[in-house]
Amino acid sequence: MMKHQSCSWTFFTISCLLLLSPVFVSSKCTRKAHDSHDQNTSEALKYKLIAISSILFASALGICLPFFVKNLSYLHPDREAFFLIKAFAAGVILGTGFIHILPDAFESLTSPCLVQNPWEKFPFAGFVAMLSAIGTLMMESFATGYHKRLELRKPQPVSGDHEENSDQDDNGAGGVHIRGPAFALKRANSSDLNRHRIVSQVLEMGILVHSVIIGLSLGASKSSKTIKPLVAALSFHQFFEGVGLGGCISQAKFKLRAKVIMILFFSLTTPTGIAIGIWISRSYNEASPMALIVQGILNSASAGILIYMALVDLLAADFINSNMLYSFWLQLGAYLTLLLGAFSMSLLAIWGGN
């Protein structure tokens, strides 16, 4: 009899929990929304304005720094210091993808506010990040292949002819043709340049998506306690990301106009996102299903891009470089700076409350 009553009570308890779970979820989401409204909005606005100026300065300084120091001889792309700085920047970008963005994506897409779902039954964050990484690979592959095919269509010097045609003809006219080895070197340099340009453009796209989201989230927040630590954390975050992106843009050797546009986009994206977040903060609810889904999917895509770029385009290319392979101490130093960059972003995650 006691056993039967115990089973009945257990069944009753489980039934009640199942019936009331939507209420618990709803109250949790509602409580989260109310908590964000019960804040001193004027004090929060003050910190948001400080964040706009601080992040704008840090972003601009970080992305411009590689251009300021590029004429220093010890920071030439073939020198050891350049490999160490690039490894640190790659660690920062890798840490951003794994520690900052991807966990946010999982948190958004597994939120208890998403009651009606396939969202909790399938790891959409990891799935979208995987597709994003594969899409980045495809984009790079197709773009690089297109540029290589263009190079092959260009006229090439015929063996033996280029030497005699390089001399003056009988009328004194100089019909100069590029010699065979020089032409091959020019083609290789052109291929490397195209690759650097593709890498820098795709990397900036991944960073900008994330920057918009963190800007909107900070701007829409009404808690000064949440915003205060984020001001410093995001300033450092944007500075280090800017150093990594600026190094890639510097290697790509864009024209001045393209450089200015890329620098402005990176520098202004997060402050603009904060400004938009302030504007929509009265109507924006970060706990709404639509906001969670959009943030989760965009964060997942951004994480996939940054993780792929850091591992494949920044690290793999440098760590198989002959300068790196022939020097044990350079390899060791590059691994240490890589870990330092990744650990720096990990510490910022603790500081920023991520």
Side-chain angles (χ1 to χ4, degrees):
M1 182 67 177
M2 290 293 292
K3 185 177 180 181
H4 177 71
Q5 288 179 341
S6 175
C7 291
S8 301
W9 175 251
T10 303
F11 178 76
F12 175 75
T13 305
I14 294 173
S15 301
C16 289
L17 288 173
L18 289 173
L19 288 171
L20 292 174
S21 59
V23 177
F24 293 151
V25 168
S26 176
S27 64
K28 184 176 180 180
C29 296
T30 307
R31 186 167 58 252
K32 183 178 179 181
H34 282 307
D35 287 345
S36 65
H37 285 285
D38 295 335
Q39 306 294 338
N40 188 335
T41 53
S42 60
E43 186 181 5
L45 179 61
K46 179 182 74 174
Y47 285 112
K48 290 173 189 179
L49 296 176
I50 293 172
I52 289 176
S53 57
S54 175
I55 292 171
L56 176 61
F57 175 76
S59 301
L61 179 62
I63 195 169
C64 291
L65 191 61
F67 297 98
F68 295 151
V69 302
K70 71 176 182 180
N71 292 325
L72 299 177
S73 58
Y74 61 88
L75 290 178
H76 190 271
D78 292 331
R79 304 299 292 270
E80 294 182 352
F82 181 81
F83 285 101
L84 299 180
I85 293 171
K86 200 171 175 185
F88 176 83
V92 167
I93 293 170
L94 194 63
T96 301
F98 274 119
I99 305 297
H100 290 261
I101 309 180
L102 198 56
D104 283 349
F106 274 103
E107 183 179 358
S108 295
L109 295 180
T110 57
S111 170
C113 300
L114 298 176
V115 186
Q116 303 170 1
N117 43 104
W119 301 104
E120 67 181 12
K121 298 176 182 177
F122 184 80
F124 277 99
F127 181 70
V128 173
M130 178 186 70
L131 291 182
S132 175
I134 295 172
T136 306
L137 170 65
M138 293 171 63
M139 189 188 309
E140 282 194 3
S141 176
F142 287 136
T144 305
Y146 171 76
H147 286 292
K148 284 189 176 292
R149 289 190 292 273
L150 282 183
E151 289 291 328
L152 288 174
R153 293 193 189 106
K154 291 181 180 179
Q156 303 180 33
V158 180
S159 179
D161 292 341
H162 59 274
E163 293 186 0
E164 57 188 51
N165 287 336
S166 64
D167 298 327
Q168 300 239 337
D169 60 19
D170 295 336
N171 296 325
V176 180
H177 285 238
I178 300 174
R179 296 181 179 272
F183 181 82
L185 179 61
K186 183 180 178 182
R187 171 176 287 180
N189 290 338
S190 176
S191 179
D192 287 342
L193 190 62
N194 286 328
R195 178 182 167 277
H196 287 309
R197 288 178 175 177
I198 294 166
V199 166
S200 59
Q201 288 168 339
V202 176
L203 180 60
E204 176 152 24
M205 180 179 68
I207 291 174
L208 291 184
V209 170
H210 172 54
S211 297
V212 170
I213 294 170
I214 59 176
L216 282 171
S217 299
L218 191 149
S221 175
K222 296 178 177 64
S223 170
S224 57
K225 292 181 181 179
T226 301
I227 296 170
K228 274 194 283 188
L230 283 176
V231 174
L234 289 178
S235 297
F236 281 108
H237 177 278
Q238 291 297 108
F239 173 78
F240 289 136
E241 267 192 352
V243 170
L245 178 60
C248 291
I249 296 173
S250 178
Q251 278 189 293
K253 297 180 181 177
F254 287 106
K255 292 181 179 178
L256 179 61
R257 182 181 176 185
K259 289 178 183 177
V260 171
I261 290 172
M262 295 182 78
I263 288 170
L264 286 176
F265 261 98
F266 174 77
S267 302
L268 295 174
T269 300
T270 304
T272 303
I274 296 173
I276 294 172
I278 294 171
W279 181 51
I280 65 172
S281 60
R282 291 185 179 275
S283 59
Y284 178 76
N285 179 13
E286 63 180 4
S288 69
M290 181 58 70
L292 289 168
I293 292 169
V294 171
Q295 286 182 20
I297 290 175
L298 289 178
N299 269 331
S300 301
S302 178
I305 292 172
L306 295 187
I307 290 168
Y308 172 88
M309 300 295 291
L311 290 174
V312 177
D313 290 320
L314 299 181
L315 292 175
D318 282 350
F319 276 75
I320 61 172
N321 185 285
S322 57
N323 292 345
M324 183 82 74
L325 295 176
Y326 290 143
S327 173
F328 169 76
W329 293 110
L330 180 58
Q331 279 184 311
L332 184 61
Y335 280 119
L336 289 175
T337 53
L338 168 64
L339 291 171
L340 180 63
F343 287 154
S344 299
M345 298 311 292
S346 302
L347 290 175
L348 286 179
I350 299 173
W351 188 4
N354 188 40

